[in-house]
Amino acid sequence: MRLDDGLICLRFETMKVVSALAAVRHLLDTGAVRRGDTLLDSSSGIYAYALALACHRYGMRCHIVGSTTVDRTLRTQLGILGARLEQMEPSSDLKLDQKRRVERIQEILREHPEYHWMRQYHDDIHYLGYRSVADRIRRETGQERLTVVGGVGSGASTGALARYLRAARPDVRPESGPEVRPGIRPDVQLVGVQPFGSVTFGSEHVSDPEIIIAGIGSSIPFGNVRHRSYDAVHWVSFEAALAGSVDLLRRHAVFAGLSTGAGYLAARWERRLTPDRTVLFIAADTGHRYADSVFARHAEAARLEDLAPHTVMTTRSLALPWSRMDWSGAPAPTEAVTAAATG
C-alpha cells in the first residue's frame, strides 16, 4: 500500500503465516516430519495462529505453549483449527512468562520425543517463505534505493527480506566478515524496531512502564537474528507506538497492531532522514486484538509531529519514549547471544 510519496506499507493480516507454511512444507518435503506428526512451539500470539493454519492445511497436529498475552479471540481460532493450547498463568513479567514457556517446551519434549519442535526463534527455515515476498517487493516498488523497516522479533521477517532483496544486488553486505567499503551504502537498508526491555539489541536495562511490546522484542536470546544485517535500530515505547497506531488509522485508514504503529513511526523518521530513498514498513497483523488496550485510548495519543527520537551512539544512552541508533552492521551484544540455542 503506497501511503505517501516514498512511503509504502507491506500489509499482512497475519504475517507469520508466510513463514509457517513454507517451513512446514519444507519439513514435509525433506522427510523431517510426516503427515499426522505433532509440531510444537511457543508463541505470544501471531505464530501460534500461523502454525495452527499450516498444520491444518498439511494434516499435522499442533501443540502451542502460549504466552499469558494470548487472548480469547486467538484461543477460539486455535480451537477451531484443532490446535492444542497450553497457556501460561497470568503474569505482568513477560521475561518470566517467556522463561516458563521455554521450560514447558523442554518438559513436553522429554515426555514426547517424537514431537517436532519448530524453534521459530532459532531455525532459519522460517526465512524461506519471505523469498516470494521479497520478489513481489522488488517487482512492485521498482526501486534501487529501498529502506525496509520492521519489528525484529524472532529475526525471520526483516532478516529474510533484507537477505533476499540484497541477494539480487551487486553490493550485498555479507552476513559476516568485512563491512561495506567506506562511502558505499547498500541499496537495500534494513532498520529494526525494538521495544525497551528487549535483550536482542541491548535495551534490557531500560524498562517501559507500560509493557514490552510482545512479538518484536525478547527477554531471551534469539538465534535467527542476524545483527550484522541491520543499518539502524529504533527503540519505541508503548506510548510512542500507540501514537503511531492511532495516526496510521486516522491518516491512512490502516487498522493494524501496536508493532505496526512503532514501525510506522520509525519509517516516517527514516523517510525524513533520507528523502531520496523509498521506505517500506511492515504491518504484521490487524488491530483487532489491540482494540481495548490501544485504540480505546486514542484520546491519549500524542501528535506524531511532536515526537522525535533521541539519537544515541551507544545502547547505554537509550531513553524513553523513543531512541534511534546507527547500528551499521555491528555484531550482536553479548547478552543477545549467550545460550542462544536454549530458547
Side-chain angles (χ1 to χ4, degrees):
M1 301 172 62
R2 187 172 291 276
L3 305 186
D4 205 342
D5 182 36
L7 184 62
I8 297 173
C9 175
L10 177 60
R11 176 80 154 118
F12 295 91
E13 180 173 328
T14 306
M15 180 186 68
K16 290 188 177 180
V17 171
V18 171
S19 58
L21 284 172
V24 174
R25 182 71 260 171
H26 177 78
L27 292 171
L28 286 166
D29 289 347
T30 57
V33 299
R34 295 177 297 177
R35 290 180 184 271
D37 285 354
T38 297
L39 304 185
L40 169 72
D41 215 342
S42 165
S43 174
S44 61
I46 296 177
Y47 186 77
Y49 181 51
L51 185 60
L53 284 169
C55 287
H56 186 69
R57 169 175 286 189
Y58 293 120
M60 317 290 290
R61 294 185 176 90
C62 181
H63 190 146
I64 297 293
V65 177
S67 168
T68 185
T69 58
V70 172
D71 61 15
R72 180 173 177 271
T73 300
L74 180 55
R75 289 196 296 270
T76 301
Q77 290 172 305
L78 294 177
I80 290 171
L81 293 168
R84 179 181 176 185
L85 171 67
E86 289 188 44
Q87 187 171 2
M88 294 295 99
E89 294 295 322
S91 171
S92 59
D93 184 346
L94 290 191
K95 183 174 183 178
L96 178 60
D97 174 77
Q98 213 157 23
K99 180 174 181 291
R100 286 173 175 170
R101 282 188 277 146
V102 171
E103 291 172 349
R104 180 55 187 149
I105 289 284
Q106 299 296 341
E107 289 176 358
I108 293 170
L109 289 171
R110 286 193 293 270
E111 297 165 4
H112 297 280
E114 73 279 11
Y115 285 8
H116 182 88
W117 182 18
M118 291 299 292
R119 302 179 81 243
Q120 66 148 323
Y121 304 130
H122 304 296
D123 192 333
D124 64 6
I125 61 171
H126 292 91
Y127 275 49
L128 299 175
Y130 294 101
R131 185 188 299 273
S132 61
V133 180
D135 289 342
R136 183 171 180 179
I137 292 171
R138 190 180 296 113
R139 287 195 309 271
E140 296 198 10
T141 64
Q143 296 294 324
E144 290 299 311
R145 295 174 60 76
L146 180 69
T147 298
V148 176
V149 180
V152 177
S154 68
S157 59
T158 48
L161 287 175
R163 174 184 291 182
Y164 295 133
L165 287 167
R166 287 169 175 167
R169 305 297 199 260
D171 57 344
V172 176
R173 168 182 286 151
E175 291 298 325
S176 60
E179 298 299 328
V180 176
R181 287 172 295 156
I184 302 296
R185 290 161 59 129
D187 56 4
V188 176
Q189 292 195 318
L190 181 59
V191 176
V193 178
Q194 284 275 277
F196 291 95
S198 172
V199 70
T200 310
F201 279 87
S203 68
E204 65 274 10
H205 61 290
V206 183
S207 60
D208 188 331
E210 290 276 2
I211 190 171
I212 185 172
I213 304 172
I216 67 169
S218 177
S219 61
I220 60 175
F222 284 170
N224 268 343
V225 179
R226 303 291 186 264
H227 292 76
R228 289 186 180 273
S229 293
Y230 292 84
D231 296 282
V233 178
H234 288 250
W235 291 265
V236 182
S237 70
F238 176 91
E239 170 193 341
L242 181 149
S245 295
V246 170
D247 187 272
L248 184 59
L249 178 57
R250 280 181 176 152
R251 195 184 303 255
H252 299 292
V254 175
F255 184 51
L258 195 59
S259 67
T260 302
Y264 169 61
L265 192 69
R268 282 171 50 97
W269 191 261
E270 294 300 318
R271 174 67 179 150
R272 176 177 173 177
L273 291 178
T274 54
D276 59 323
R277 303 180 68 87
T278 295
V279 180
L280 177 147
F281 69 96
I282 299 171
D285 60 356
T286 66
H288 296 86
R289 66 176 175 152
Y290 300 96
D292 293 330
S293 60
V294 174
F295 292 98
R297 297 171 59 177
H298 61 88
E300 303 172 25
R303 295 189 330 129
L304 294 201
E305 292 77 10
D306 297 333
L307 297 175
H310 302 281
T311 299
V312 300
M313 301 298 291
T314 73
T315 55
R316 292 190 298 274
S317 302
L318 292 174
L320 295 163
W322 178 13
S323 292
R324 181 192 183 277
M325 177 177 165
D326 283 327
W327 193 260
S328 303
T334 302
E335 292 299 317
V337 295
T338 304
T342 64

